[in-house]
Amino acid sequence: MGDSHSWTAVPGAAERARSVPAAAWSCSVTADGGREEFLGAHTVDDAGRVHLHVPDDSSLLTAALCAPRGEPSAVLEFADVAPVPVRNRVRGRLWLAGWFAPEDDHLVLRATRVVLKQAGGAVVVDRDEFAGARPDPLATAEAQLLTHLADAHPDAVERLTRLVRHESLHGAVRVQPLAVDRHGLTLRIERARAHGDVRLPFHAPADDVGQLAERMHVLLTRASAASCPRPLQRQRTDGDG
């Protein structure tokens, strides 16, 4: 089973959209002609509503309290940033357009439009699908998992390149783990003046960190049995970031 390449599932758009704010530490809000940045101020409930805790002197809070019906139009933006230093670290962005309404001691966004932008382009996510989806189970642990893999196990990352097609490694000077979700691991292959991403699917979904460890063990076992590709061209550093 571990040698099978049949499992190719990837997270759906709604799941990816829910995963971005689950993992993000910051967000920005554009409302009433102004823009504010917030750190560690948001949570997302099971219905997909974003709860934002803002300071008392926030212009956003003032707009929410003073606007008709207490609901000013706003756009909430999250950036999906790779936890490992790579080129173009922003993997995607999520925009939620709608209205903020005061609720207890915070604001709640009632989204009317959800847009997710990733490497493949932008997609409008159905609001009901966004509300009903759940974040990837590894989303909140991803940063720690990837930084540990890159910092403590660079040999394992290089071994995993044996699962990558030889032509995809042509001219590669560095390979780093870019993303992980319950369906697979994505590697970023950097060349002197370009880069590309390669996805290594798991043989079955990983619904927690324990299962992820088993899925990674299977990938590494397959990599150990594969033929060794040409070594990375580490000497070629011209233009390498």
Side-chain angles (χ1 to χ4, degrees), residues 3 8 16 32-33 54 188 194:
D3 294 326
T8 58
R16 297 198 306 271
D32 197 27
V54 300
R188 169 146 296 173

Side-chain angles (χ1 to χ4, degrees), residues 24-41:
W25 175 247
S26 64
C27 64
S28 64
V29 179
T30 302
D32 197 27
R35 181 182 177 93
E36 290 188 73
E37 304 286 337
F38 298 96
L39 298 176

Side-chain angles (χ1 to χ4, degrees), residues 170-186:
H170 180 71
V173 296
R174 185 172 70 164
V175 177
Q176 290 278 52
L178 176 70
V180 68
D181 55 63
R182 66 192 181 104
H183 297 296
L185 173 72
T186 300

Side-chain angles (χ1 to χ4, degrees), residues 137-153:
L138 303 177
T140 56
E142 183 193 32
Q144 182 177 353
L145 292 168
L146 291 184
T147 53
H148 177 75
L149 178 60
D151 295 343
H153 301 287

Side-chain angles (χ1 to χ4, degrees), residues 187-209:
L187 301 178
R188 169 146 296 173
I189 300 173
E190 297 183 350
R191 303 175 183 86
R193 290 182 173 83
H195 63 267
D197 300 334
V198 175
R199 185 171 176 83
L200 303 179
F202 298 142
H203 65 274
D207 293 326
D208 55 43
V209 174

Side-chain angles (χ1 to χ4, degrees), residues 220-236:
L220 288 167
T221 299
R222 284 177 41 210
S224 296
S227 60
C228 185
R230 295 174 59 187
L232 300 182
Q233 301 174 31
R234 301 185 186 282
Q235 293 79 15
R236 295 183 56 186

Side-chain angles (χ1 to χ4, degrees), residues 53-117:
H53 296 264
V54 300
D56 293 339
D57 60 353
S58 168
S59 60
L60 178 62
L61 179 61
T62 301
L65 292 173
C66 298
R69 297 179 293 116
E71 298 183 345
S73 60
V75 176
L76 182 59
E77 178 181 344
F78 296 93
D80 176 21
V81 182
V84 175
V86 293
R87 296 176 187 160
N88 297 347
R89 290 184 69 173
V90 178
R91 302 178 298 191
R93 294 186 185 276
L94 176 70
W95 292 277
L96 303 175
W99 293 267
F100 273 109
E103 185 173 300
D104 298 328
D105 60 345
H106 60 278
L107 300 176
V108 177
L109 181 74
R110 300 178 180 178
T112 58
R113 186 175 176 85
V114 180
V115 178
L116 176 68
K117 181 180 181 181

